[in-house]
Amino acid sequence: MSEHLDVLVVGAGLSGIGAGYRLQTMTPSRSWAILESRDSLGGTWDLFRYPGVRSDSDMMTLGFPFEPWTDPDAIADGSKILDYLRATAHKYGIDERIRFGHKVVAASWSTPDARWTVAVEHRTERGTELLELTCSFLYLCSGYYDYERGHEPDFPGRDAFEGRVVHPQLWPDDLDVAGQKVVVIGSGATAVTLVPALAERGAEVTMLQRTPTWITSLPRRDRVRDVVQRALPVGAGGAVVRYKNVLTSMAFYELTRRRPTAARALLSKGATRSLGSATMVADHFTPTYDPWDQRLCLVPDGDLFEALRSGRAHVVTDTIETFTPHGIRLASGRELEADVIVTATGLRIKVAGGIEIVVDGERRPTRDLTVYRGMMFVGVPNLAISVGYVNASWTLRADLASRYLCRLLTHMEQHAWRIAVPQAPEGMVGRPLLPLASGYVRRAGDELPQQGDAAPWLMRQNYLLDRRDMLRGDVTEAMAFAR
């Protein structure tokens, strides 16, 4: 007989740990567990080990509201974030609920039984065994990236290159870049993090980008936060700074949407001030698209600009013709010499962790689904996912989703409901889920669910509106219940 739990959480990263806290504090009578496919908690922050890996959001919003971030760095290194997650999980006993080496591969819902049957691959010292668990509610907190591999374009001549080719997602422990010529292909968040970090380790680094990306510099230390924390207790000070940062990021995002020309001018002016060269900004840091049409990259204390200005790193904007035995030949005819090539070419999206979802015998591919409040699916009972914002910290939305789920579970318990399933109105117009033109979003077009044209079917990128609706809104809106 398979084990049954009230709630089964998949993933022990930021979302899963936050979900565990909310479940045990808001619905303490329920049985629950977290399944994690890896051997340790932390999710993204345990997976990514490339040099310089760090947050691309401030830690007062990326951290949990119930456990304020207290380290002096507002933009933190990956190792510090991982330590914070481990300490938080241990402090609240969440780590005792995590089952490591458990990879969920399929989930099948039965309406007559009002439960999910979950197929799990359990990795042991003797090999992999297939387990079966059942649960009343399934909560997927595995993010939307493929943890097994990143995006790797098929570069011409790749096999001819005599050096080493590395993808940041699978960074080797034995790679010493000191004294090496390193070409980093890419211009996104990973590339702009790697370039100054590799230069700091003694490499001669070139960032090779096909097109520029909008980049902004922010201080690694938040001086306003330092003042507030000296004046207020940790909890109150954390809340004040959290909202200060939320409002600041929302204001700039709205500026980019309403007055993109002004936003372009602000970012260009900041880059010119950091680089000391308007020509370099025009040539390499002025994209053709508007800010936040693709994700904005953050560099703490302008470290990328500092590495370029000092000559420890270089940037080239061109397209690749082919790899050669000793580097990369560009469309312009120029050849970049390299001992190591880093393909910081992006991530792959894997919605719902790639789990096969079946409802009453019918397979439900994610591309055919429509989201409800950005966390449930039309026609799929008792299942929620945790997805963060694209224009703000992931945790802001993930925590709202967990708190909304707990409100829904409490309502179901009070009214003896066993099933909750969102139902969309007839004639609702679908639209793309994520408001970005980034490569990883375009590549996932056949996998991503869609959103609707009005609340509660919109995946809004607005924390204040979501906070109002998910913490105080009617949990019965557009929801069908059954016993």
Side-chain angles (χ1 to χ4, degrees):
M1 184 175 180
S2 61
E3 178 185 4
H4 180 79
L5 296 160
D6 293 327
V7 182
L8 195 58
V9 179
V10 180
L14 269 166
S15 303
I17 294 169
Y21 175 84
R22 294 303 182 187
L23 284 168
Q24 70 182 20
T25 54
M26 295 179 67
T27 61
S29 63
R30 284 183 171 78
S31 61
W32 60 274
I34 300 175
L35 303 186
E36 169 56 52
S37 64
R38 296 166 58 79
D39 294 325
S40 56
L41 61 81
T44 296
W45 302 107
D46 178 64
L47 173 68
F48 292 150
R49 303 294 181 91
Y50 59 82
V53 60
R54 65 197 178 204
S55 62
D56 61 354
S57 303
D58 73 276
M59 289 306 303
M60 296 306 292
T61 57
L62 188 65
F64 301 115
F66 56 84
E67 186 65 20
W69 176 261
T70 57
D71 188 272
D73 286 346
I75 306 297
D77 295 336
S79 58
K80 286 187 175 183
I81 300 172
L82 185 56
D83 288 344
Y84 164 77
L85 293 176
R86 289 170 174 166
T88 301
H90 180 70
K91 177 178 179 178
Y92 296 103
I94 298 165
D95 53 356
E96 298 175 5
R97 303 286 194 109
I98 302 173
R99 303 179 187 184
F100 295 107
H102 285 66
K103 180 180 180 181
V104 177
V105 294
S108 178
W109 168 262
S110 168
T111 296
D113 298 324
R115 64 176 52 185
W116 287 95
T117 299
V118 180
V120 181
E121 292 179 352
H122 178 213
R123 190 175 59 257
T124 68
E125 294 180 355
R126 300 183 302 276
T128 301
E129 60 181 359
L130 190 63
L131 303 179
E132 190 175 273
L133 303 175
T134 62
C135 62
S136 300
F137 214 104
L138 183 60
Y139 190 22
L140 306 180
C141 293
S142 49
Y144 56 45
Y145 290 131
D146 188 338
Y147 275 49
E148 296 175 0
R149 60 191 180 107
H151 174 61
E152 290 261 27
D154 185 16
F155 292 113
R158 176 169 176 153
D159 293 341
F161 180 58
E162 297 176 358
R164 197 165 182 178
V165 180
V166 176
H167 192 283
Q169 189 165 325
L170 302 172
W171 194 268
D173 294 333
D174 64 344
L175 181 57
D176 181 6
V177 299
Q180 302 282 298
K181 293 179 180 178
V182 181
V183 174
V184 177
I185 302 174
S187 59
T190 303
V192 302
T193 298
L194 270 166
V195 170
L198 295 174
E200 187 70 25
R201 286 161 172 75
E204 182 182 331
V205 192
T206 299
M207 184 172 84
L208 172 60
Q209 58 180 10
R210 182 174 55 187
T211 56
T213 297
W214 287 112
I215 299 175
T216 187
S217 174
L218 287 179
R220 186 177 287 271
R221 291 282 298 269
D222 184 340
R223 300 303 175 186
V224 173
R225 174 200 171 203
D226 291 346
V227 172
V228 169
Q229 288 197 324
R230 285 196 295 269
L232 295 173
V234 172
V240 169
V241 178
R242 187 180 180 87
Y243 276 99
K244 183 267 291 184
N245 292 349
V246 165
L247 293 172
T248 300
S249 62
M250 285 182 60
F252 184 72
Y253 180 76
E254 287 300 315
L255 175 68
T256 67
R257 302 296 84 191
R258 299 171 187 270
R259 299 184 61 192
T261 301
R264 292 171 69 98
L266 277 175
L267 291 172
S268 295
K269 183 178 180 180
T272 300
R273 185 169 57 249
S274 297
L275 278 168
S277 171
T279 300
M280 182 177 283
V281 172
D283 291 345
H284 303 295
F285 296 101
T286 306
T288 56
Y289 62 86
D290 287 331
W292 275 118
D293 284 352
Q294 297 185 27
R295 191 173 176 89
L296 188 69
C297 286
L298 167 67
V299 290
D301 292 337
D303 58 1
L304 172 68
F305 297 138
E306 169 59 27
L308 295 171
R309 189 174 65 242
S310 67
R312 294 181 293 119
H314 314 277
V315 60
V316 174
T317 303
D318 206 334
T319 55
I320 295 172
E321 181 179 297
T322 184
F323 281 28
T324 67
H326 304 293
I328 298 173
R329 186 165 67 243
L330 306 175
S332 62
R334 179 181 178 183
E335 183 159 344
L336 300 178
E337 292 185 8
D339 302 303
V340 178
I341 295 175
V342 181
T343 55
T345 45
L347 302 169
R348 293 168 54 91
I349 285 183
K350 183 183 280 188
V351 181
I355 297 169
E356 183 181 55
I357 299 172
V358 178
V359 177
D360 292 328
E362 180 186 353
R363 187 172 173 271
R364 304 298 301 273
T366 53
R367 65 176 177 270
D368 296 337
L369 301 176
T370 302
V371 297
Y372 169 83
R373 297 195 186 279
M375 59 170 290
M376 295 181 73
F377 295 124
V378 174
V380 180
N382 293 27
L383 181 143
I385 62 171
S386 179
V387 178
Y389 293 112
V390 298
N391 66 341
S393 294
W394 179 276
T395 315
L396 288 173
R397 196 173 208 294
D399 186 59
L400 291 181
S402 294
R403 294 165 75 178
Y404 178 87
L405 172 62
C406 291
R407 292 181 60 222
L408 178 62
L409 292 172
T410 299
H411 175 83
M412 293 173 68
E413 182 179 41
Q414 290 172 344
H415 295 82
W417 299 121
R418 298 181 64 198
I419 300 172
V421 55
Q423 292 189 328
E426 290 187 12
M428 185 175 67
V429 178
R431 59 176 66 178
L433 181 66
L434 299 179
L436 293 177
S438 303
Y440 71 92
V441 175
R442 293 197 304 270
R443 290 191 298 270
D446 292 338
E447 239 186 286
L448 287 172
Q450 64 178 359
Q451 61 177 326
D453 54 1
W457 312 103
L458 286 173
M459 178 77 175
R460 294 180 301 201
Q461 305 297 320
N462 188 307
Y463 174 72
L464 296 183
L465 290 178
D466 283 342
R467 179 180 174 84
R468 179 198 67 191
D469 291 350
M470 297 179 80
L471 299 190
R472 297 194 298 273
D474 182 3
V475 296
T476 68
E477 182 183 9
M479 188 79 72
F481 295 94
R483 295 188 174 87

